[in-house]
Amino acid sequence: MATILHEESEKKLNKKHNKLYILLFFTISLLTLYLVFSYVYYIDISNGCLIKLNSDPTNPNSNSLRQSLQYIKNETSEYKNVCGSINKINEMQCLSEDPRVTNVKYTPSGCFVKGTKTIYVLPSYFNSINEQGNDIVKYAEYAKNYLEQK
Amino acid sequence: MPLFKKLIILVAFTVILVFTLNIFYIDIGDKCFITIIPSVELSNGTIVSALQILKKVVPNQYTKVCENVKFINTNVSCGGFDGGCYHTGNNKTIYVSSSQRHLVVSTSVIAHETCHLLQEKQKRPLNEPECYSIGNTVLKTITQK
């Protein structure tokens, strides 16, 4: 009888441990997801803004992209358009022509990719956050016009 | 089986399923069925996005890809990282190494390598300038600066 009671109380203890482990697992998973998400994405829930920032892994500069988006939000009236028209910013050079064919010598500051909500921006091209922000606004306008045409 | 283990298996299964969904590119309306062979770069999503860009923006190139390409292998080949390759005698497969940030290049490379596939199919020599030109046209068409 004592053995049965002991086994039952052990089972209850195991169940409690299992629940604790599950809770711990979910808490750590959610925390990890949130940290990764907020590092990789620009998030502004109150304005419905979610933009993935694909930074250069060898020289990540997503801070300048975040600062530019903050500049657009605080200093321009185009923030809503940017958030609605763009969902991804690739931090790298936009190859808009093949130099083997056109002998192009210059590097554009960025571009909009038609058929997507993706833009390319090369932070090292710009002298200031504001300049970069104005270019992001320009590409968002292209994206909006393209979506409206389709 | 303890609940904790069941949860781990469920999460692992979900991850595998999501990954698997990007292995087969299926567009029934345009009769497009392409198997995208994965690589360590995990770029299947980029290849799918590139195909969708071709469909929306350069439909004539998309048609050529769908009619002729059955496999896109994302492993690195003769073109190196973020490049492409076409091996003669393997006339349904093109190689496109890619990464998330190189969406525009990947789109151009798909068109370029399909051009080589067609050159062989039409029993013409594999001519780079012709395919560079097609890749360049795709780049200029899909980007706005």
Side-chain angles (χ1 to χ4, degrees):
Chain A
M1 178 73 169
T3 314
I4 292 169
L5 282 172
H6 177 71
E7 279 175 4
E8 275 184 14
S9 64
E10 252 200 59
K11 274 184 189 172
K12 279 184 185 171
L13 197 61
N14 281 341
K15 270 188 185 171
K16 266 190 185 170
H17 280 154
N18 275 346
K19 283 183 185 171
L20 268 169
Y21 288 141
I22 291 166
L23 192 61
L24 198 62
F25 171 74
F26 272 118
T27 309
I28 293 174
S29 301
L30 281 171
L31 196 62
T32 309
L33 270 171
Y34 172 74
L35 287 170
V36 169
F37 214 68
S38 56
Y39 179 74
V40 172
Y41 284 82
Y42 170 84
I43 305 171
D44 181 0
I45 296 172
S46 56
N47 286 294
C49 207
L50 181 68
I51 300 175
K52 190 173 184 193
L53 306 176
N54 274 337
S55 297
D56 179 354
T58 61
N59 185 24
N61 200 359
S62 62
N63 251 348
S64 85
L65 295 176
R66 287 178 198 279
Q67 285 168 11
S68 294
L69 289 165
Q70 280 298 119
Y71 157 76
I72 294 167
K73 179 180 181 179
N74 297 333
E75 308 291 336
T76 76
S77 55
E78 302 297 327
Y79 187 61
K80 198 175 167 187
N81 182 41
V82 168
C83 292
S85 308
I86 295 173
N87 64 11
K88 197 182 291 183
I89 301 178
N90 286 331
E91 184 205 334
M92 67 175 290
Q93 181 184 344
C94 173
L95 190 67
S96 56
E97 294 177 68
D98 189 336
R100 293 171 295 198
V101 178
T102 63
N103 293 316
V104 64
K105 296 279 187 277
Y106 71 97
T107 301
S109 59
C111 68
F112 158 62
V113 184
K114 294 177 190 174
T116 71
K117 286 186 168 187
T118 301
I119 68 171
Y120 280 71
V121 167
L122 189 61
S124 57
Y125 182 92
F126 301 99
N127 293 320
S128 70
I129 296 294
N130 296 6
E131 218 179 283
Q132 183 173 270
N134 290 336
D135 252 39
I136 291 174
V137 166
K138 178 177 85 175
Y139 299 132
E141 192 63 31
Y142 292 164
K144 183 183 162 200
N145 291 341
Y146 183 83
L147 286 167
E148 282 172 355
Q149 279 170 24
K150 292 294 159 186
Chain B
M1 189 191 289
L3 187 57
F4 186 65
K5 276 189 183 173
K6 283 183 187 172
L7 274 170
I8 298 282
I9 291 170
L10 184 64
V11 167
F13 178 74
T14 310
V15 167
I16 291 167
L17 191 66
V18 166
F19 184 59
T20 306
L21 287 174
N22 274 341
I23 287 181
F24 300 107
Y25 177 81
I26 300 172
D27 178 359
I28 296 171
D30 285 306
K31 292 180 190 163
C32 206
F33 305 98
I34 299 175
T35 303
I36 306 172
I37 298 165
S39 68
V40 293
E41 291 184 283
L42 300 177
S43 56
N44 281 37
T46 304
I47 301 297
V48 169
S49 299
L51 289 167
Q52 287 168 345
I53 290 172
L54 282 177
K55 176 176 175 159
K56 289 175 194 172
V57 188
V58 202
N60 58 330
Q61 286 301 323
Y62 181 70
T63 304
K64 287 180 186 173
V65 173
C66 289
E67 284 176 355
N68 297 284
V69 177
K70 296 302 162 206
F71 298 93
I72 296 179
N73 193 326
T74 61
N75 287 283
V76 177
S77 189
C78 61
F81 285 100
D82 298 315
C85 193
Y86 173 70
H87 295 291
T88 54
N90 198 351
N91 61 4
K92 293 186 193 311
T93 304
I94 61 174
Y95 284 76
V96 182
S97 165
S98 179
S99 65
Q100 274 199 30
R101 291 160 64 242
H102 289 85
L103 176 60
V104 163
V105 169
S106 302
T107 312
S108 169
V109 168
I110 290 172
H112 177 103
E113 300 308 329
T114 304
C115 165
H116 284 314
L117 189 155
L118 281 169
Q119 284 172 339
E120 188 184 29
K121 207 169 176 181
Q122 292 159 5
K123 295 182 173 37
R124 295 188 288 120
L126 297 190
N127 175 265
E128 284 294 357
E130 178 188 342
C131 300
Y132 282 150
S133 174
I134 285 173
N136 183 56
T137 302
V138 166
L139 287 175
K140 290 176 89 162
T141 308
I142 69 173
T143 57
Q144 186 175 3
K145 58 183 191 286

